[in-house]
Amino acid sequence: MREKEFLPNIKEKLGIESLNPMQIKMMESASQSRDIILLSPTGSGKTLAFILPMLKMLKPSTGRVQCIIIAPARELVLQIAGIVRAVASGFKTTTLYGGHKVEDEVNSLNAGADIIVATPGRLLDHITRRNIDVMPTRILVLDEFDKSLELGFEKEMKKIVDRLKNVSRTILTSATKTDILPDFLKLTNPLTLNYLDQNSELKDRLRVHRVESNSADKLEALCCLLQNLAYEKGDHPRSIVFVNHRESAERTANYLKRHGIPAVLYHGAMDQRDREKAVAMFNNGSRPVLVATDLAARGLDIEGVNNVIHYHQPLTEETYTHRNGRTARVDNTGDVFVLTGPDEDIKEYIDFDTTRYLDSDKQYAGQPQYETLYFSAGKREKLSKGDILGFLVKEGGLSADQIGKIDVYDHYALAALDRNASEALMKNIKNKKIKGEKRLISLID
């Protein structure tokens, strides 16, 4: 695929005016007959960086698989696929991941696919069932390959790689340096591009604050911190609260919601739809506080995070780096808060710039500008963002500036709307059809 075919899409569809040096170098490397290892920190534009050489290597679409991209988490799969679809016009991109209807995936594969983005387990399942012919595959990308190995996907990845007999180019990406690579990868004279020193630039844009709690149970201090931050801004800033365990995430999110904080929960034991909803409501501003395990430290398509809050100190330096990488992305600044209990030891890799003192008198009583509307139909029912926007304006009586982010998934959709307009909207759309069909439409509590 020639550059003049996809570079305009980067500006038009992704809003990126110019490529950074890493992305330019990766695109140039496509002309070399070598495998590539890209080491780059979170938030540096790594996804687009590996997509660029992949696009240059693609041949005209035939409906047969040319490229397979493997990522360790379903959220990362969806993020990558979104960027590929925006840039690689004229090519069919199919996603394969757990929590997704298998029959939908089989139908997509039967319709032909040029590029597949998948988690290891689901991809291997389709290969084993012969739902997909991987023999034509020439390009293999393993994104966050270190994380895949850490999560125990090595056996699945070995079986997949063994089936890919005609791969001539392999691209590996990681946010950490790995000295030993698995033998089954069989890389050919790999070119290593190391941009991990960009972490030092990230540190310059981060301010790390210590927040001391009077008790070992730090929920009260966390709630006070979030109220103080909202009081100072006049609105709830977008904040991710990291905890070390699923049970702690549930307990923390419930506590915050009971105390008026617009929080949403995210962890690996939740089903796929609930996780998608959580990320969507965080991104659209209706739930600007995300309480999450370290599953949210990598791969999620999360925008404009103002604060990272470590309710629990991370267990490793690598995790600390990945958590902090959710804020201060690209050229933005961000704040990191580490909650510490009485006599709690500080990990040796955490250095503080300041100590933040809490003020229980600074409380914010307001609610987020937006809330989220649910539609019981999505892409598979031929419902588009344009359909929803038109429905909300024509039937709901909303103006365009009262409508926020719209997300359309396979079998449902979400739309953010101005909280002050929601009551009138629900009255206006009662018993109304969208695209000639009556669908369940409700506000998410």
Side-chain angles (χ1 to χ4, degrees):
M1 189 176 184
R2 290 173 294 184
E3 293 172 39
K4 66 179 183 180
E5 297 176 40
F6 62 79
L7 286 180
N9 289 340
I10 293 173
K11 181 177 180 180
E12 180 183 342
K13 302 289 183 60
L14 302 180
I16 296 174
E17 294 292 332
S18 60
L19 302 178
N20 65 33
M22 175 183 69
Q23 293 163 345
I24 293 171
K25 183 67 176 176
M26 281 291 287
M27 188 165 63
E28 291 173 348
S29 69
S31 60
Q32 302 181 38
S33 298
R34 299 174 64 183
D35 295 326
I36 304 169
I37 301 174
L38 174 63
L39 305 176
S40 177
T42 302
S44 59
K46 174 171 59 64
T47 302
L48 183 58
F50 74 70
I51 287 174
L52 290 169
M54 179 203 81
L55 292 175
K56 288 190 69 174
M57 296 173 196
L58 288 177
K59 294 180 179 179
S61 174
T62 62
R64 302 184 74 191
V65 181
Q66 296 189 51
C67 175
I68 292 178
I69 303 171
I70 300 177
R74 62 190 75 175
E75 289 79 8
L76 189 51
V77 164
L78 292 169
Q79 177 188 341
I80 293 167
I83 298 175
V84 172
R85 287 180 177 129
V87 180
S89 55
F91 291 86
K92 173 73 182 301
T93 301
T94 295
T95 55
L96 310 174
Y97 55 88
H100 198 207
K101 286 189 175 181
V102 174
E103 53 266 36
D104 286 347
E105 295 180 347
V106 172
N107 290 337
S108 293
L109 291 170
N110 289 339
D114 301 289
I115 303 165
I116 287 177
V117 189
T119 53
R122 182 56 70 95
L123 174 61
L124 181 59
D125 183 60
H126 281 291
I127 293 174
T128 304
R129 294 171 184 268
R130 298 187 178 181
N131 295 330
I132 174 178
D133 177 14
V134 297
M135 289 302 289
T137 307
R138 298 180 299 105
I139 308 162
L140 173 64
V141 180
L142 303 181
D143 189 30
E144 303 277 15
F145 72 89
D146 59 319
K147 188 67 175 177
S148 293
L149 299 178
E150 179 185 314
L151 293 174
F153 292 130
E154 186 167 353
K155 288 184 180 179
E156 287 90 343
M157 290 171 67
K158 182 182 187 305
K159 290 179 180 179
I160 293 167
V161 171
D162 287 346
R163 303 285 187 97
L164 301 177
K165 304 294 186 183
N166 295 310
V167 167
S168 57
R169 298 293 296 277
T170 300
I171 301 174
L172 306 183
T173 81
S174 176
T176 56
K177 192 174 187 304
T178 303
D179 295 324
I180 301 175
L181 296 174
D183 292 337
F184 64 80
L185 289 177
K186 301 173 185 174
L187 301 183
T188 304
N189 187 24
L191 169 67
T192 299
L193 301 178
N194 190 339
Y195 290 86
L196 293 178
D197 59 357
Q198 290 187 10
N199 271 332
S200 60
E201 298 176 15
L202 173 63
K203 291 175 182 176
D204 293 338
R205 302 196 307 274
L206 278 179
R207 297 173 296 274
V208 183
H209 314 270
R210 180 172 184 168
V211 182
E212 297 176 347
S213 169
N214 292 327
S215 65
D217 186 346
K218 298 175 280 191
L219 288 175
E220 186 176 341
L222 172 63
C223 190
C224 188
L225 172 63
L226 289 167
Q227 286 285 14
N228 285 183
L229 294 172
Y231 179 88
E232 291 166 7
K233 188 176 179 181
D235 195 5
H236 291 280
R238 196 162 294 178
S239 307
I240 303 180
V241 179
F242 281 107
V243 300
N244 289 346
H245 311 287
R246 293 170 181 173
E247 297 78 7
S248 301
E250 293 173 359
R251 177 171 175 264
T252 301
N254 289 334
Y255 180 92
L256 294 177
K257 285 186 279 189
R258 288 198 306 271
H259 288 79
I261 302 293
V264 67
L265 176 66
Y266 182 90
H267 62 64
M270 297 165 58
D271 68 36
Q272 175 64 15
R273 181 171 289 200
D274 287 339
R275 284 158 63 176
E276 287 174 349
K277 286 180 183 178
V279 173
M281 290 190 290
F282 182 69
N283 276 336
N284 71 24
S286 62
R287 297 290 189 278
V289 177
L290 182 72
V291 180
T293 58
D294 288 318
L295 183 64
R298 292 199 200 190
L300 283 188
D301 186 11
I302 291 176
E303 308 156 3
V305 178
N306 304 103
N307 309 303
V308 165
I309 301 173
H310 300 276
Y311 178 76
H312 292 141
Q313 291 184 59
L315 300 178
T316 66
E317 184 174 6
E318 180 184 351
T319 302
Y320 181 63
T321 299
H322 285 300
R323 286 182 179 184
N324 292 350
R326 302 309 330 180
T327 188
R329 296 174 76 85
V330 193
D331 295 323
N332 297 318
T333 60
D335 288 285
V336 172
F337 300 89
V338 182
L339 287 168
T340 61
D343 303 320
E344 182 176 351
D345 293 331
I346 307 300
K347 302 289 187 182
E348 64 276 6
Y349 43 80
I350 300 177
D351 295 315
F352 298 108
D353 298 311
T354 67
T355 296
R356 169 82 189 216
Y357 297 99
L358 302 176
D359 187 342
S360 59
D361 292 329
K362 292 183 177 179
Q363 301 285 309
Y364 179 73
Q367 288 295 313
Q369 177 185 355
Y370 292 106
E371 55 185 328
T372 298
L373 193 64
Y374 169 87
F375 293 80
S376 64
K379 295 174 186 175
R380 299 286 177 174
E381 292 75 33
K382 308 300 183 184
L383 190 66
S384 69
K385 291 184 181 181
D387 296 327
I388 293 171
L389 180 62
F391 176 78
L392 294 177
V393 171
K394 183 179 178 181
E395 304 291 353
L398 297 183
S399 59
D401 62 0
Q402 291 176 306
I403 303 169
K405 196 171 187 293
I406 298 173
D407 296 283
V408 183
Y409 302 92
D410 281 351
H411 295 289
Y412 74 101
L414 305 173
L417 63 141
D418 192 298
R419 184 175 299 274
N420 295 325
S422 61
E423 185 176 350
L425 169 81
M426 297 308 292
K427 290 179 181 178
N428 290 341
I429 64 174
K430 187 176 181 180
N431 298 322
K432 295 289 178 65
K433 295 180 179 180
I434 181 168
K435 287 196 74 174
E437 296 282 345
K438 192 170 182 181
R439 303 289 184 183
L440 172 64
I441 304 173
S442 61
L443 289 168
I444 294 181
D445 183 6

